[in-house]
Amino acid sequence: MAEDPKDWQLETRLVRGGMARSNFGEISEALFLTQSFAYESAGAANARFAGDEPGFIYQRFGNPTTQMFEDRLALLEGAEACRATASGMAAVHVALAGLLRAGDHVVSGRALFGSCRWVLAEWLPRCGIQTTFVDATDPAAWRAAVRPNTKVLFVESPANPLLEVTAIGDVAEVARQCGARLVVDNVFATPIFQKPLALGADVVVYSATKHIDGQGRVLGGAILADQKLIDEAYKDLLRHTGPALSPFNAWVLLKGLETLELRVRRQTENAAKIADHVAAHAKVRKVVYCGRSDHPQAGIIANQMSGGGNVLAFDLGSQAAAWRFLDALQIVDISNNLGDAKSMATHPWTTTHRSMPEADRLEIGLTDGWVRMSVGLESAHDLARDVGRALDAA
Ligand SMILES: Cc1ncc(COP(=O)(O)O)c(C=O)c1O
């Protein structure tokens, strides 16, 4: 009997999931760099457009390489279906837009990546959709913010940049009770350490730009949910508005998935060492890392995450000190990306979160002394030396 990929362990899913070999028997997944597809006859074209016969039509709707990436990621996530997008923000936007209409209401965690916050606070109101932002760590706050027209609850957990963690199961319960859908941005946790669908979420989104590529090459995103929701909420929106992932990027991301687990686990080992090293330095006021027992939501993390991830944040007290730290780094790059093989650090106040009004930044605890660091695959010994020297200079 043929193997069912759903019986495969994580490692096998990552390397072989979704593989659709062509007649050539290639070992590495084929890159189908084609915009459109030819039909054997006018009748075949008609049947394919009508959905009576399977097959590809046009790259904006689907592509064999992109589908391999989607199928592999769905298998990894334990989702029925996945649709890839050109970036993480395209995934976030489509995931929300597909579930919302003018007059609807959203409840969202208030600690978010700056662009996610912009979509909710600035863009959706132009479409007649209002958002209430809540302290995501307080289930009562979610419940209190729900209105009769609430259709979506949105959360990033851990959140960018201060790694605030939300009890996804509790928020899923609020969504279930009020008939809304829960959308979770799972970028920081990665598909290796957290499974929001299993915790009760309806939709998971990724920036595949981060750990899934993990080597600084391409942008990409993904939306995962059950097949019915993908078909009803997202299929036409994706087809007609065009945020399709390039097949070339899909191919890069497929290769990224093969090594995702190895990279994320090693990065996490390194991050745990760097977090302890940073916490021990006299110039550091506070460290937040999901793998440390002093994380404010350590209890929730123990329930829903199987690893601390590769991102940490620490407070150096002032922008001047944070900038001195960044400017003294010799190995770690100053960059706003995360999940990469190369370690990088950023000053969220003046980069990723600068578009958030100052009062909103302060409300989530983000002051100008915080540094966010994404720990990579370099030697932990070398990283500790680099970070230690930069902290001395801070
Ligand atoms: C939590 C989170 N969601 C979404 C995104 C957007 O991803 P992309 O840059 O691929 O559009 C980011 C990017 O930093 C992020 O940190």
Side-chain angles (χ1 to χ4, degrees), residues 158-205:
N160 187 351
L162 299 187
L163 308 165
E164 195 176 274
V165 169
T166 301
I168 293 171
D170 290 351
V171 182
E173 182 57 23
V174 176
R176 205 187 54 74
Q177 282 166 7
C178 71
R181 308 275 193 182
L182 174 60
V183 179
V184 176
D185 183 332
N186 205 39
V187 165
F188 273 57
T190 82
I192 304 298
F193 291 144
Q194 183 168 270
K195 301 275 190 234
L197 297 177
L199 295 164
D202 299 287
V203 182
V204 176
V205 290

Side-chain angles (χ1 to χ4, degrees), residues 87-90 92 113 116 156 160 185 187-188 207-210 219-220 338:
S87 70
M89 282 321 303
V92 169
F113 171 53
C116 297
E156 223 174 83
N160 187 351
D185 183 332
V187 165
F188 273 57
S207 164
T209 315
K210 307 296 185 295
L219 293 184
L338 60 100

Side-chain angles (χ1 to χ4, degrees), residues 133-148:
F133 293 98
V134 296
D135 174 356
T137 63
D138 178 5
W142 290 92
R143 215 166 287 121
V146 164
R147 299 179 191 165

